[in-house]
Amino acid sequence: MARSPKRHHWRRRPDPPAAARPADPAPGSGPSAVPPVRKDHGSVVQAVLYRDGRRVAHPESLAETFRQLRQYPGGMAWIGLHRPSEAELHSLAAEFDLHELAVEDALEAHQRPKLERYGDTLFVVLRAARYLDAQEEVEFGELHAFVGKDFLITVRHGAAPDLSAVRHRMEETPELLALGPEAVLYAILDAVVDGYAPVVAGVQNDIDEIETEVFGGDPAVSRRIYELAREMVEFQRATRPLVAMLHALMAGFAKYGTQEELQRYLRDVADHVTHTSERVDGFRQALADILTVNATLVTQQQNAEMRALAEAGFEQNEEIKKISSWAAILFAPTLVGTIYGMNFDHMPELHWAGGYPFAIALMGVVCTTLYVIFKRRDWL
């Protein structure tokens, strides 16, 4: 299913190159009079306050974020954390009334994708992925999101997804950002799902290369198939639960009064994650088939080698039989000649006039008999 490049408002304008992006307004200038976001001490990557879709403050600590949020009624706090400490998460939990089980999951990480609601707070776990071209590997990251009425907290464990790009797109469309934390959550979901597309393309290319290697007889291809199959298991664990999560969100549209615009966005994301999940299932099946074909080809190659060895052994055995037969035939006259060639005075038939013809005849009879026997046994 082709993806429209204009399916979301926050995707209508491509991000300009880093060198061409306009700088954030300096302090005291611009409509919002807010300086650019800086990375704070500790694990706080970004902490920004918004009101009516516009950035109004960028606190430099969690405590400052809590204080300023109270000063902006109707505002929203978007706090980004990267592998936070236990103290930082517990501080957020106390301020925003986060459930202890969700906080524990966010600290431990290594969670399966899921969607849980604790009172007025939505807790979401996502598995992002990105394709590393140099290593030809799929790298997975983990993202936890706490979504409340006036806040959104993201906790990342890994490099993906790039939430700074999500923030940049959302700030360029303040009408969407003004819809609140739920709109930001959908933008994050969209970014995670969009991040799967390069992975799918990279894996498809790997499978094409593997098929060529399999039929080319590369002995190292089995290991590559196995490693890629393991990555597809992880990829499947990231995408399959996401389908059910998005359908659960759609089921709550009426109950939680989700904006119609956001409903359309979520349905679109659900369609594409379903498509991705189906592609991943197809990859797993294709790799299983390739592994079976490779095992068959390896078995055939081994059988051919064994057959060649057996044929070589058979031919060698035939040659040995021929050599042995002629050696036996030649041994008979040699034996007779050797006996009568001994220089002893007292030997029977030594002075017999018919001894020589008898010896020659004996040699001929023995040789002929052996030849007939070996010929009947197909040794000659």
Side-chain angles (χ1 to χ4, degrees):
M1 179 171 58
R3 302 190 67 172
S4 171
K6 295 185 179 182
R7 64 185 183 83
H8 287 335
H9 288 297
W10 57 69
R11 296 182 60 83
R12 284 181 177 173
R13 286 189 295 172
D15 291 341
R21 289 182 183 175
D24 288 321
S29 64
S32 60
V34 177
V37 174
R38 300 195 305 268
K39 181 172 180 177
D40 196 8
H41 300 291
S43 65
V44 181
V45 178
Q46 291 176 322
V48 184
L49 298 182
Y50 299 93
R51 186 168 61 183
D52 298 328
R54 305 286 180 179
R55 186 193 299 180
V56 295
H58 74 111
E60 296 187 354
S61 67
L62 291 179
E64 185 69 12
T65 302
F66 304 153
R67 187 185 64 81
Q68 292 193 21
L69 182 59
R70 301 187 187 98
Q71 296 177 357
Y72 294 99
M76 177 189 72
W78 183 351
I79 302 172
L81 305 174
H82 182 256
R83 293 177 179 170
S85 65
E86 185 175 351
E88 287 171 327
L89 266 186
H90 282 300
S91 175
L92 289 168
E95 179 67 25
F96 295 109
D97 192 26
L98 306 181
H99 197 279
E100 58 181 7
L101 293 179
V103 173
E104 181 180 350
D105 287 345
L107 281 172
E108 294 180 357
H110 303 293
Q111 304 293 319
R112 59 181 295 275
K114 61 182 179 179
L115 171 69
E116 295 180 352
R117 189 175 293 275
Y118 298 96
D120 294 332
T121 302
L122 195 65
F123 178 61
V124 180
V125 179
L126 302 173
R127 295 291 304 278
R130 63 174 183 169
Y131 186 79
L132 305 179
D133 290 321
Q135 296 85 357
E136 293 186 341
E137 295 178 352
V138 181
E139 181 183 74
F140 295 93
E142 190 168 335
L143 174 68
H144 302 248
F146 298 88
V147 185
K149 293 181 178 180
D150 59 353
F151 67 89
L152 182 134
I153 303 168
T154 57
V155 180
R156 285 192 300 119
H157 296 273
D162 183 9
L163 295 184
S164 62
V166 177
R167 187 186 296 271
H168 179 74
R169 293 179 185 129
M170 291 297 289
E171 290 181 349
E172 286 187 334
T173 53
E175 67 277 9
L176 286 173
L177 192 55
L179 296 179
E182 195 175 30
V184 178
L185 173 62
Y186 292 171
I188 293 173
L189 287 168
D190 180 73
V192 170
V193 174
D194 282 351
Y196 293 153
V199 178
V200 169
V203 171
Q204 181 64 67
N205 184 64
D206 285 347
I207 292 178
D208 293 340
E209 292 178 356
I210 285 174
E211 289 177 342
T212 302
E213 293 173 0
V214 165
F215 292 101
D218 188 346
V221 70
S222 296
R223 180 181 181 88
R224 189 177 181 188
I225 295 173
Y226 174 74
E227 291 175 348
L228 188 58
R230 289 189 60 184
E231 291 177 353
M232 289 304 96
V233 171
E234 289 295 320
F235 202 6
Q236 194 175 53
R237 291 174 180 171
T239 57
R240 182 173 290 178
L242 193 54
V243 176
M245 289 169 52
L246 292 172
H247 283 90
L249 283 174
M250 290 188 292
F253 282 163
K255 180 178 181 180
Y256 297 101
T258 304
Q259 298 281 343
E260 182 62 31
E261 186 75 0
L262 296 182
Q263 292 184 27
R264 287 194 291 268
Y265 295 153
L266 189 60
R267 291 191 189 98
D268 186 71
V269 175
D271 289 341
H272 290 97
V273 77
T274 300
H275 176 68
T276 301
S277 180
E278 292 173 351
R279 291 290 304 276
V280 175
D281 292 343
F283 288 155
R284 285 199 63 187
Q285 184 60 47
L287 288 170
D289 294 341
I290 292 173
L291 191 59
T292 301
V293 171
N294 182 63
T296 302
L297 292 177
V298 170
T299 302
Q300 290 177 348
Q301 182 179 0
Q302 291 175 344
N303 291 339
E305 293 175 354
M306 293 297 294
R307 190 183 307 111
L309 289 174
E311 291 175 354
F314 177 77
E315 292 177 358
Q316 185 178 16
N317 188 46
E318 291 298 313
E319 293 298 326
I320 291 175
K321 287 192 294 184
K322 291 180 180 180
I323 294 173
S324 300
S325 300
W326 285 113
I329 293 173
L330 295 175
F331 177 72
T334 302
L335 177 63
V336 175
T338 301
I339 293 175
Y340 283 95
M342 290 188 287
N343 297 321
F344 293 107
D345 291 334
H346 303 287
M347 286 183 64
E349 299 92 19
L350 200 60
H351 301 286
W352 179 35
Y356 176 75
F358 175 77
I360 295 298
L362 180 62
M363 293 180 188
V365 170
V366 172
C367 291
T368 303
T369 303
L370 290 175
Y371 180 83
V372 171
I373 293 174
F374 293 146
K375 193 68 174 177
R376 288 182 176 178
R377 294 184 178 182
D378 292 329
W379 284 32
L380 291 175

